[in-house]
Amino acid sequence: MRRSLRTLPVLAGALAGLAACSNGPQSTLDASGFGARQVEGLWWLMFWISVCVFVEVMTLFGWALWRRRRETVRVRGGDATRFVGILGVAIPLVILSVVYGTGLMTLDAIANPSRAAATVEVVGHQWWWEVRYPDRPGAVTANEVHIPVGEAVRVRLRSADVQHSFWVPQLMPKTDLYPGKPNETWLKAARVGTFRGQCAEYCGDQHAYMALQVVAQSRADFDAWLADIAAPAPARLTAAQQRGRAVFLNGSCAACHTVRGTRADGTVGPDLTNLASRWSVGAGAAPNDRGHLGGWVVNSQTIKPGNRMPPQPVAAQELPDLLDYLQTLR
Ligand code: CUA
């Protein structure tokens, strides 16, 4: 009874471990993209081989214990050599060859495709992602990559500062971004949906909040989205929104951020032309609603300590107008 109680935490731990493997928003075992499916197949192959080896070793171990208790076994030299030759050399050689061969085939399958339906440029910054569509002038956003479903999309990777890693576990294995050395990967989603991505290389204080979202949508929806984000910010504004725009342009915001269609052309922080349509503020640090946006503008350091945006001296009576304006940027 006492022994079975002692095994309980071990069993619970193993079950929790298995549960963690399945179906989270970043589960590699819930693959929805071509590259991730290839890697998932390789993972399951290695998992089942490990299970077989484990069962085999435990069976032999149990057998040895059982025999030892009953009798002293004399093993002849020839039997021992054959035993080691088969279990210690031949079988491992077969297993390693199969895994190596399958690994090479997987690498070949997920290599960059020669033809891609679209190209997206992703630049890693501490701690956010700049996203550009070079074939569509003006199409710039942040922390959000849209792709047409079922089509191969080339992703060009660059870093503006330190090393980062682009990883969308449900779509594709990780690919590093190096300062001064462009890299490339690609995405192909098997279904329409939203997939969470994450910087997968430690890059400083807010590495954890360097998240992004990949949105796979139908070709028509993707084209409409691309046209939408390529357009400049709306010019028709209410009186309050105009006051907010003046706060934005005359204050420090415009020194670091761009809003296309205005004279704000800073390049230190993300382009804000479609800020209001994004899924989060601070690359996953908080939801993108009016309350969090206001908190972010006034003092983003309380939401994402260490990020590059200093607290802003916006007067309390000007903040609602500024937020009114920021919320027109979609
Ligand atoms: Cu960028 Cu970790």
Side-chain angles (χ1 to χ4, degrees), residues 36-95:
R37 280 188 179 162
Q38 297 287 318
V39 174
E40 187 189 25
L42 186 61
W43 190 89
W44 280 113
L45 173 73
M46 287 164 72
F47 175 77
W48 288 117
I49 290 176
S50 312
V51 168
C52 293
V53 170
F54 180 76
V55 169
E56 179 213 331
V57 169
M58 284 300 126
T59 307
L60 287 173
F61 183 58
W63 178 75
L65 286 179
W66 182 73
R67 286 294 293 269
R68 201 175 149 210
R69 259 192 226 160
R70 303 195 145 218
E71 61 201 281
T72 311
V73 188
R74 289 185 192 284
V75 181
R76 279 173 295 161
D79 285 351
T81 312
R82 207 173 311 135
F83 187 76
V84 171
I86 293 172
L87 287 179
V89 179
I91 293 182
L93 204 66
V94 170
I95 291 175

Side-chain angles (χ1 to χ4, degrees), residues 124-129 161-165 198-204 206-208 210:
H125 297 258
Q126 281 175 316
W127 294 274
W128 59 283
W129 305 92
D161 36 50
V162 299
Q163 192 170 334
H164 303 276
S165 192
Q198 173 65 41
C199 177
E201 180 72 35
Y202 181 70
C203 54
Q206 291 296 344
H207 158 71
M210 189 166 166

